[in-house]
Amino acid sequence: MLEHKKFNNAGPTYGSLSNVTAADIAFDLTTQVASEFYDVLYPDREWYDIVLKEQIYTDINPGATSYAYMSRNRHGAAAFVGHGVNNDIPMVGQSIGAVSVPIAYAAVGAEVTNEDARQYAMGVNGNLAQDLGQAMREACDNLMEVSIIFGVPDLGFHGWLNYPGIAVMQPAASKGTPDSTKWADKTGAEIAADINDALTYVWQNSRTIFKPTDIWLPLAQYSKLANTPMVLGDGGGNNGVGLMLNILNYVKANNIMTEISGRELVIHPSRYLTGAGTGGTDRMVVMDRSRNNQMLPFPLAYQLSEPQPKPLAVAWYAENKFGSYHVRQQGSMVYVDGI
């Protein structure tokens, strides 16, 4: 199994910037103070882009600690009879198996003393309870981001980034100099071929069952697709025929899956894929994304409890409950390392 880790410090953080300290704020008498906060900025959470709403299973009992489903396979083949023993007729049958997906309970809390609230209201004209409530929501969302993308091995959660059992392929080397699989060293035609090869791999190896139309790329490779004009017939000497298209638009219009399925190819940028592949190489993820192929158990959505009184203070808690990101059909995905 591939190692589960966070790459290039790209995961969500919980606020530890040296220039943002606790509520010990003082200004010189002649300082003009802005009337609003300027929040520290964090990257968007990508799990909302990775998991479709239809893939989130909310119709699960909140008391469940795992989600299970049965899989069934029918087997058997007919045969010609009459040239031998007439009662030698083949029989069909079916096999049934079960798959279990772990679910875990998560919570976070906050506490505000009366004095903290008064000082906060006076010093910054804000509502500390409301602001900490928002922080709790952010904290729960951060946990989901880490769990879905990277997994939680201690709980048996598998991550989208390194899901066990998913095939890993390497793109062809460039024909020019240097002899490299990296897109930085390739022409537009070679990059388009890499994408079509990955799409074909999933389609062909699944005997045409899966037709992937979602692709995730590291930021540098996505930028190259969007900013590089497409040149046909370029053997490395930049002497081909240039098109009025970038590589991104060319690939969307000229790929095997759009031709077969009629669905548009969707290419997503992801900051997590830089260095995520084997040996620290950059990774591309190709998926046939649907409710039947991947899913996320989510029996308990984020809930904020009623405040709990304490001596000269109040505490309140938030909770949610969700399971491991689960790939039902491992043949619906492929990782491409070395781009």
Side-chain angles (χ1 to χ4, degrees):
M1 182 183 298
L2 295 175
E3 182 183 359
H4 292 256
K5 60 182 180 179
K6 301 176 183 65
F7 299 95
N8 298 331
N9 298 316
T13 64
Y14 295 87
S16 59
L17 298 181
S18 59
N19 62 332
V20 182
T21 60
D24 181 13
I25 304 170
F27 295 104
D28 187 87
L29 182 63
T30 58
T31 299
Q32 173 79 36
V33 181
S35 60
E36 60 181 310
F37 280 114
Y38 288 88
D39 291 332
V40 175
L41 300 179
Y42 294 95
D44 292 336
R45 293 171 185 84
E46 292 190 10
W47 81 264
Y48 291 104
D49 183 52
I50 293 169
V51 182
L52 295 170
K53 287 185 178 180
E54 67 184 47
Q55 295 178 299
I56 300 175
Y57 282 56
T58 58
D59 56 343
I60 300 173
N61 192 302
T65 58
S66 64
Y67 172 78
Y69 62 92
M70 293 185 292
S71 60
R72 179 173 61 184
N73 185 30
R74 293 179 289 271
H75 48 84
F80 294 106
V81 297
H83 298 286
V85 181
N86 284 337
N87 63 355
D88 186 17
I89 300 174
M91 310 298 285
V92 298
Q94 68 177 13
S95 56
I96 298 176
V99 178
S100 181
V101 183
I103 294 173
Y105 173 70
V108 69
E111 182 176 340
V112 176
T113 68
N114 294 346
E115 181 63 10
D116 285 341
R118 286 190 291 263
Q119 290 186 12
Y120 194 79
M122 175 184 175
V124 299
N125 195 29
N127 186 319
L128 182 57
Q130 179 178 331
D131 289 351
L132 289 180
Q134 180 62 31
M136 287 194 292
R137 180 61 185 259
E138 297 278 335
C140 287
D141 227 1
N142 284 344
L143 179 62
M144 294 198 66
E145 179 87 348
V146 172
S147 302
I148 292 169
I149 294 177
F150 299 103
V152 185
D154 292 343
L155 298 177
F157 282 26
H158 299 309
W160 169 81
L161 196 63
N162 276 301
Y163 201 91
I166 303 300
V168 180
M169 62 178 294
Q170 188 178 43
S174 62
K175 297 179 181 178
T177 303
D179 184 11
S180 171
T181 65
K182 295 181 180 180
W183 285 6
D185 303 320
K186 289 190 172 184
T187 65
E190 290 173 330
I191 293 172
D194 285 347
I195 294 174
N196 271 293
D197 286 348
L199 297 172
T200 302
Y201 178 92
V202 175
W203 178 55
Q204 185 173 358
N205 281 272
S206 68
R207 298 179 181 268
T208 72
I209 295 174
F210 303 119
K211 300 174 178 63
T213 52
D214 281 281
I215 296 175
W216 279 262
L217 295 173
L219 303 186
Q221 284 80 349
Y222 184 89
S223 178
K224 183 176 179 65
L225 290 187
N227 294 319
T228 305
M230 185 65 191
V231 178
L232 296 180
D234 182 5
N238 296 320
N239 54 358
V241 178
L243 304 179
M244 297 297 292
L245 292 171
N246 57 24
I247 304 175
L248 182 64
N249 290 331
Y250 177 83
V251 170
K252 286 183 177 182
N254 298 272
N255 68 86
I256 184 65
M257 283 303 107
T258 298
E259 177 69 24
I260 291 171
S261 68
R263 304 196 309 262
E264 182 180 356
L265 195 67
V266 182
I267 302 179
H268 315 254
S270 172
R271 66 182 182 277
Y272 296 116
L273 293 174
T274 302
T278 306
T281 57
D282 292 351
R283 167 166 285 182
M284 172 169 60
V285 181
V286 176
M287 295 176 62
D288 184 347
R289 189 171 52 154
S290 76
R291 181 180 175 90
N292 293 328
N293 296 340
Q294 309 90 22
M295 55 89 66
L296 177 70
F298 203 169
L300 183 64
Y302 175 85
Q303 292 187 1
L304 184 62
S305 68
E306 292 294 327
Q308 307 294 320
K310 299 184 69 174
L312 300 178
V314 65
W316 69 108
Y317 303 91
E319 59 182 347
N320 69 348
K321 194 173 187 179
F322 60 96
S324 170
Y325 179 77
H326 180 66
V327 180
R328 294 184 189 268
Q329 304 287 350
Q330 295 183 357
S332 64
M333 294 177 59
V334 69
Y335 297 134
V336 183
D337 291 353
I339 64 168

